[in-house]
Structures are given as C-alpha cells and as structure tokens.
C-alpha cells in the first residue's frame, strides 16, 4: 500500500508539467520509447517467454514489434487528433481533449507487455501520468519498460510501475481519490471489486473482461479455412481472451470438420516455448493448469467426450495441457458457459442460421465472434445479429489500432483503440465562442 500511495503521489506531482508538454514533445518521447523497445527486442522477448511461457518465436516476430507499434501509433494519432469546429447560430464550437490526470492501468499475464503498452501508450499520449500494475505472475517486462521509458527521456513520475498482489497494491490504487482513470483487463469477479472501489470517487472505468467467443462454421464455408481458424484457437496454449473456444458447426459438415480438425490438432508440436518448432507451449502456472483440468474433468463427468486430448501432457512436465476438443456438450453446461482460458474447445452443431446465432449469443459474454461462410450476404446478416465487440469473417485476430476494441455484456465496459482511447483517457471540452462583438473592458 505504501508503494501504491507513493506512485500515485509521484504521478500527481508530475502531471501538470507532462500535461502542459506540447503534443509534438510527447509524441517525440513516445517514438523514443518505441526505439528503445526495438533495440531491446531480443531481451524483451526472452524475458517474456521465461516469465509467462508463451512462444519465443511469437514474441520475436509479432508481439514485441507490436509493442513498439503501440507507441508509434498513438504518438502519430496524437498529432492528427482534432475535432472539426462547427457553428450554432453563428457561435463557434471547438471540442478539445484535455488530459484527465493520473491513470491506474492493471494488466493481465497472458500477453503482459503488449497489453500493458496498449494502455500505457494512449494514456501517456493523452498527457496523463500512469501507474502500471502488472499481473503478479508476469511482472518482469513491465519493469524493463520503465527502464526503457526513463532512457527515452520520459520525465520522472510520468510512468510508475507498482509490483504486487491485487488485494494489496491493486486495491490501494483503484480506491485512491487522486486517480482519474482506471483501465483493467482481467476477470469479471475482479472487475466487480474494482468497480465498487472506483464508485466511491466516481472514477471512470474501462474494463475488458474476456469472453467465451464462438466460431460459426456454415455448410458453404471453405472447410480447410474453417479448420485452420479453429486450430488457431490453441494459440498461446489457449490463454487468449479473444479465442473462439466454442466451435458451432453446421450438422451437414460436422463429421468431416471434426475428422480434419482432429488430424490437424494432433500434428501440433508441443514442447519448450523457446524451440522454434513448438506450436503449443506450457500454461503459465500450476494453479492455472489445475483450473483447466478441473473444467475438463467436470465436463466429461457430465457427459462430454474428448475427441482430441483431454488431460495434462505429462510427458512434458507439470505445466503442459493437451490441446483438447470436447463434443456432446449442452448449451447450459459449465464448459460452454464459463471461460476456461486454456487449450480447450467445445463443438456443437446447428441446422439453421437462426439456431447458429442463438447458440453464439447464448452466454453472458460478448467479446468477439468468428464466422466462416462462402456467402457474403449471410456473413453481413449474421455479423449484424451477433453480440460481440469484434466480428471476424473468414479470418481471425486481424487487429488495427484505428478500430474500437472492447466487449459487450459481461465482456466489458467501454472501447479503446484509435480515437476511442483518447475519448476515455481525456476530459472532452467544448468551448463556444460568440460570433462578434469582442470588447475590451477596464
């Protein structure tokens, strides 16, 4: 708690000067941070893999370059940011984004640095100071980011990293009266506690809370593409909030789809995440592995059948779980309704478009959805009916920082990305000026 309070005090003290820094000056430092990330890319990739077990090749080729891009994108977006002035009965309206103040950013363990910088970059670009609390299971790259930011010339107190447990450091941060924004990515139960703490001071929140996303495969889909999309959901050992863990397949192609899927899934290389050949690495923690296996055990006991996998990968040690596909599940079952956050997918069948949409929307979540179909009109029709913040059609995980990101229902509150990030991290102001009659008094 003492460290949390010290970090907020430092952020509060540094805020006026950073908020007053011209946009070009803030953008220049964000680009310098991106330069620092690129210079230390190999180091960051190796540390992240050692810390959370995700594939080293992914960190090298995709994740860490995206970390640098996060800073560059919001630096450039800041310089482009402007509302058009508009007239009201001759009066000019001019809308601006004003920095809000110290921001608390709480990030998860599945993509630690990438998801942290997704929040840090726009918050800093907007002129705010930041207190970042990374997940206790994956703390290391957040501290390295603080070093990189300091080397890039970010003034003291503008970016503060607080390590600790949520019940201690996190609770002290989200309940602090000097915090002006809270952004959290994580579980629904934790989000409820954060929202209750923030309510005391009416601190605005942005919450991204995971999901139970569907992949709808219609009988006119390219079956090879659909299987590729489904197998891709095992990325990061299934520890991806956006993963389409519920496969909804038209009954006419379900048997062939399942056969091809099982063939592809069994060919995935499981092993050390530092090995370039590995496709599926370990889960992050023994507690997480036991949680995953608990879901599978209960599902099988309730009548589900594991047609792929179904248990820990004991040959690889205590953190690996076999890529698993369960059939024979019901819509109201725990395995269909609750987020597992591991390499476990379920398969259900449907006969009509209406049935597919009903199954897809039949959970309390609404983060994302994926649709595989060869019919453009069906794709547009189904996408319009799905409850999801993002819908991918015949593709998956295509992300553009200009687009809004967030979830519906219990997948979250608010949207970030592009201008939506600045809308959240700023106080919007409208200045209205009379058309004529400027007078000088005194």
């Amino acid at each position: 708690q003492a460290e949390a309070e010290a970090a907020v005090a430092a952020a509060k003290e540094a805020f006026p000067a950073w908020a007053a820094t011209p946009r070009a000056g803030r953008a220049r430092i964000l680009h310098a941070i991106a330069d620092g990330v690129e210079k230390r890319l190999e180091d960051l990739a190796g540390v992240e893999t050692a810390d959370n077990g995700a594939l080293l090749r992914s960190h090298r080729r995709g994740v860490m370059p995206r970390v640098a891009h996060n800073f560059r994108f919001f630096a450039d977006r800041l310089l482009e940011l402007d509302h058009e002035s508009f007239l009201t009965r001759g009066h000019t309206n001019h809308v601006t984004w004003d920095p809000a103040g110290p921001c608390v950013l709480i990030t998860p363990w599945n993509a630690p640095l990438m998801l942290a910088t997704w929040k840090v970059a726009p918050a800093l670009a907007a002129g705010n100071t930041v207190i970042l609390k990374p997940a206790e299971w994956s703390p290391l790259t957040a501290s390295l980011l603080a070093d990189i930011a300091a080397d890039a010339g970010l003034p003291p107190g503008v970016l503060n990293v607080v390590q600790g447990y949520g019940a201690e450091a996190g609770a002290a941060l989200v309940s602090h009266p000097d915090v002006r924004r809270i952004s959290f990515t994580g579980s629904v139960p934790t989000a409820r506690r954060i929202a209750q703490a923030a309510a005391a001071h009416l601190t605005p929140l942005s919450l991204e809370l995971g999901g139970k996303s569907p992949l709808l495969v219609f009988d006119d889909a390219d079956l090879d593409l659909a299987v590729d999309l489904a197998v891709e959901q095992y990325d990061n050992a299934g520890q991806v909030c956006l993963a389409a863990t519920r496969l909804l397949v038209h009954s006419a192609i379900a048997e062939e789809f399942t056969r091809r899927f099982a063939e592809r899934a069994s060919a995935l290389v499981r092993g050390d995440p530092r090995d370039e050949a590995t496709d599926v690495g370990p889960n992050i923690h023994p507690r997480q592995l036991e949680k995953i296996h608990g879901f599978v055990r209960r599902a099988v006991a309730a009548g589900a059948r594991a047609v792929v996998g179904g248990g820990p990968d004991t040959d690889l040690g205590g953190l690996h779980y076999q890529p698993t596909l369960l059939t024979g599940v019901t819509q109201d079952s725990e395995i269909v309704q609750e987020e597992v956050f591991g390499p476990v997918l379920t398969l259900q069948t449907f006969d009509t478009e209406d049935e597919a949409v009903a199954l897809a929307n039949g959970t309390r979540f609404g983060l994302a959805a994926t649709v595989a179909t060869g019919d453009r009109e069906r794709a547009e029709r189904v996408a319009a009916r799905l409850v999801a913040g993002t819908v991918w059609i015949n593709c998956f995980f295509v992300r553009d920082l200009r687009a809004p990101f967030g979830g519906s229902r219990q997948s979250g509150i608010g949207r970030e990305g592009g201008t939506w990030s600045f809308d959240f991290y700023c106080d919007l102001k409208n200045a209205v000026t009379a058309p004529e009659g400027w007078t000088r008094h005194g």
Side-chain angles (χ1 to χ4, degrees):
Q1 182 173 348
E3 291 182 357
E5 291 176 355
V8 175
K12 183 179 180 181
E13 182 179 357
F15 173 67
W18 180 245
T21 301
R23 288 186 180 187
R26 299 202 301 264
R28 187 163 50 249
I29 291 178
L30 263 64
H31 275 293
I33 295 173
D35 292 341
V37 168
E38 289 172 348
K39 287 176 183 175
R40 298 190 64 178
L41 190 146
E42 282 293 322
D43 185 25
L44 290 167
V47 168
E48 196 85 297
T49 292
D51 209 14
N52 86 331
L55 299 184
L56 181 58
R57 75 178 191 218
S58 295
H59 285 143
R60 282 173 168 163
R61 299 173 191 171
V63 176
M64 295 308 159
R66 184 59 180 258
V67 166
H69 174 67
N70 287 344
F71 284 103
R72 297 200 192 283
F73 172 86
F74 284 106
D76 294 340
R77 191 74 171 185
L78 171 65
L79 300 180
E80 302 167 351
L81 196 64
D82 197 17
H83 270 297
E84 289 186 18
S85 296
F86 54 94
L87 296 177
T88 304
R89 299 189 300 277
H91 295 65
T92 301
N93 295 262
H94 182 63
V95 179
T96 57
W97 286 267
D98 292 352
C103 299
V104 166
L105 314 178
I106 301 176
T107 54
W109 46 258
N110 60 317
L113 190 58
M114 199 277 285
L115 292 179
T117 57
W118 203 353
K119 301 174 186 293
V120 170
L124 293 179
N128 299 315
T129 50
V130 165
I131 307 99
L132 170 64
K133 197 207 86 65
E136 53 266 29
W137 283 356
S138 57
L140 299 180
T141 49
S143 288
L144 293 179
L145 176 65
D147 295 339
I148 291 169
D151 292 342
L154 193 70
V158 176
L159 172 61
N160 310 272
V161 176
V162 176
Q163 303 285 7
Y165 292 99
E168 299 169 358
L173 290 172
V174 299
S175 61
H176 201 291
D178 291 333
V179 169
R180 295 291 176 259
R181 295 290 188 275
I182 299 170
S183 179
F184 169 73
T185 299
S187 71
V188 172
T190 302
R192 290 195 180 105
R193 292 194 291 272
I194 291 173
Q196 288 171 348
H201 307 292
L202 297 180
T203 308
L205 291 164
S206 177
L207 304 174
E208 194 269 278
L209 308 179
K212 194 70 180 176
S213 300
L215 165 56
L216 293 75
V217 182
F218 289 91
D219 57 352
D220 55 11
D222 179 328
L223 202 54
D224 287 332
L225 171 64
V227 170
D228 286 344
L229 293 172
V231 172
E232 193 175 348
Q233 308 311 312
Y234 291 132
D235 181 50
N236 199 20
Q239 299 167 142
V240 179
C241 60
L242 293 160
T245 56
R246 295 185 296 130
L247 309 182
L248 309 178
V249 183
H250 194 282
S251 58
I253 59 170
E255 184 176 347
E256 178 63 13
F257 175 92
T258 304
R259 185 188 67 77
R260 294 194 197 185
F261 178 91
E263 186 177 278
R264 283 287 316 281
S266 64
L268 293 172
V269 177
R270 307 190 295 274
D272 190 327
R274 296 166 294 188
D275 189 329
E276 281 282 316
T278 298
D279 298 313
V280 181
N283 292 95
I284 190 169
H285 195 281
R287 290 209 326 248
Q288 184 64 16
L289 191 90
E290 180 54 36
K291 176 187 172 185
I292 294 165
H293 193 40
F295 273 109
V296 173
R297 284 198 309 265
R298 292 189 297 274
V300 171
R305 184 169 71 92
V307 296
V308 176
D313 221 329
T314 53
D315 291 343
L316 295 173
L319 287 173
H320 293 257
Y321 203 85
Q322 298 175 44
T324 295
L325 176 65
L326 301 175
T327 61
V329 298
T330 59
Q331 182 67 11
D332 61 352
S333 63
E334 179 193 51
I335 196 69
V336 169
Q337 293 294 323
E338 299 298 328
E339 187 175 39
V340 177
F341 223 62
V344 178
L345 311 181
T346 61
L347 189 147
Q348 298 167 269
T349 61
F350 64 86
D351 292 313
T352 68
E353 190 175 297
D354 286 344
E355 186 182 359
V357 171
L359 289 172
N361 290 339
T363 74
R364 61 194 171 103
F365 297 104
L367 184 57
T370 304
V371 179
T373 178
D375 185 332
R376 183 182 297 273
E377 291 183 358
R378 167 177 277 160
E380 294 174 353
R381 190 168 61 240
V382 170
R385 297 175 64 190
L386 292 173
V387 179
T390 301
V391 179
W392 286 289
I393 300 169
N394 294 331
C395 61
F396 177 67
F397 214 47
V398 177
R399 300 293 303 278
D400 192 313
L401 283 176
R402 293 172 294 182
F405 177 77
S408 304
R409 296 177 176 168
Q410 291 195 21
S411 283
I413 296 173
R415 296 292 185 271
E416 295 187 39
T419 303
W420 292 272
S421 286
F422 288 99
D423 287 346
F424 173 69
Y425 287 112
C426 293
D427 291 323
L428 272 73
K429 178 190 293 176
N430 184 32
V432 185
T433 304
E436 297 175 356
W438 293 95
T439 58
R440 191 180 300 274
H441 297 281

